[in-house]
Amino acid sequence: MTVIVQKYGGTSVGSVERIQAVAERICRYRDSGTQVLAVVSAMSGETNRLESLGRSVAGKPLAREMDVLLASGEQVTIALLAMALNERGCRARSYLGDQICIRTDGNFGRARIKDIDTEALRADLAEGITPVIAGFQGVDADGNLNTLGRGGSDTTAVAIAAAVGVDECQICTDVDGVYTADPRVVDDARRLQQITFEEMLELASLGSKVLHPRSVEFAGKYRVPLRVLSSFEEGPGTLITSEKTTMEQPIVSGIAYARDEAKITMSGVPDIPGIASKILGPVSRAPIEVDMIVQNTGADGLTDFTFTVKRSDHDRALELLTAVQQSIGARELAGDNKIAKISVVGVGMRSHAGVATRMFDALAAENINILMISTSEIKISVVVAERYLELAVRCIHSEFDLGADIVAEETA
Ligand code: ADP
Ligand code: ASP
Ligand code: MG
């Protein structure tokens, strides 16, 4: 018998009707000889609601308690889905993270899964019972509830798939696959038949929220066949693979964007050894994650230093650097939390020169000023003012001909 993991995201279990539809769908798979291990998210909007509830009682809510609160959303959906399945004669049993020992590393709000006890899941499968597992949560060595970071149910699904050793892990969502760009922003974005783990990991890490980055990392590491597809309609979706087997070999495979970015600039900094560590040391010890870093050599022994952080860390980073500015005698400190990062990703870039120039030309033609640039072997990222985000994504998408006109190749 084929065994698969199916993960249903927030929109897919966002109402009673949708939960009923998911139950129907799982029953159909079972009737056609496929056993499903279901992993579910909270109903759409619920985790946001819980987060603001937490913030309404405490300015800086305790991370431990925030995790207890946020993890509760998934408890509702596993119970409802298990009930709906049993109602249809499909025996099902719900599990919270700690009931199947999804062991995590204790990092509240961004925990990593260390291992999973598959005994109960295997026993259920042997008896023809469908396990319905809460995504996004685990339990640490001290018995604390941990959450995996927003969007983390994808990672639960892949981890379960790897631990049980299933035939495929399906991420069932509100789009029918991975597109060349977010289809909510680019009308003629195109569904990809396949994408490599390497490219998908870049896209996810650079902001494409269709998959949680760690789920892709996990799937690549443990060779889990991973597919993104629609919860609402049947179709092949997008397969994440080690190597592409299709004719599709574009230079750029996809575009990602991240809106929640901010940048901090310290100018008139004495240009002496150790200065980068003096500026970034307190920030990384906070700990605040620093992404892009740019330092220019200036005149008169002075330099300018700019780096980006998550928007939620902007105020804190600025506060920390005010003290640094005084101690090193820098002229000016400024923050900008209305920026966005746009990235083009593709393994095809390795063998093509001039990709960056094409991207910069496309932005220039729309009069969009580039604030920062960073490149690696298979990606180019630029930072622009947030108000240009959509326009920038669309013009880059059309510059690389990622839209509808390639459909012919896919259907050929
Ligand atoms: P779920 O609740 O099912 O986990 P998410 O909202 O986390 O769903 O992810 C699906 C969303 O990801 C889509 O609705 C789409 O707007 C967005 N998205 C961003 N980039 C892409 C992309 N390249 N391809 C497909 N969807 C994308
Ligand atoms: N419910 C969690 C969130 O909204 C986890 C998930 O949906 O993957 O982030
Ligand atoms: Mg998601």
Side-chain angles (χ1 to χ4, degrees), residues 387-401:
R387 63 183 180 282
Y388 295 125
L389 186 141
E390 279 89 359
L391 177 61
V393 173
R394 288 184 197 125
C395 75
I396 298 168
H397 194 267
S398 89
E399 169 63 33
F400 289 100
D401 293 328

Side-chain angles (χ1 to χ4, degrees), residues 7 9-10 41 150-154 171 173 209-212:
K7 177 259 168 175
S41 297
R150 298 304 305 271
S153 297
D154 299 336
I171 304 296
T173 183
K209 83 176 186 141
V210 63
L211 282 175
H212 191 239

Side-chain angles (χ1 to χ4, degrees), residues 102-106 112-116 141 218 222:
I102 301 184
R103 289 187 200 89
T104 42
D105 63 4
R112 286 178 170 265
I113 296 178
K114 291 166 77 178
D115 59 80
I116 298 175
F218 234 99
Y222 296 102

Side-chain angles (χ1 to χ4, degrees), residues 264-267 269 276 279-280 293-295 303-307:
I264 312 265
T265 301
M266 204 185 272
S267 10
V269 178
I279 294 173
L280 293 177
I293 304 169
V294 174
Q295 185 184 355
T303 178
D304 295 342
F305 200 93
T306 304
F307 62 92

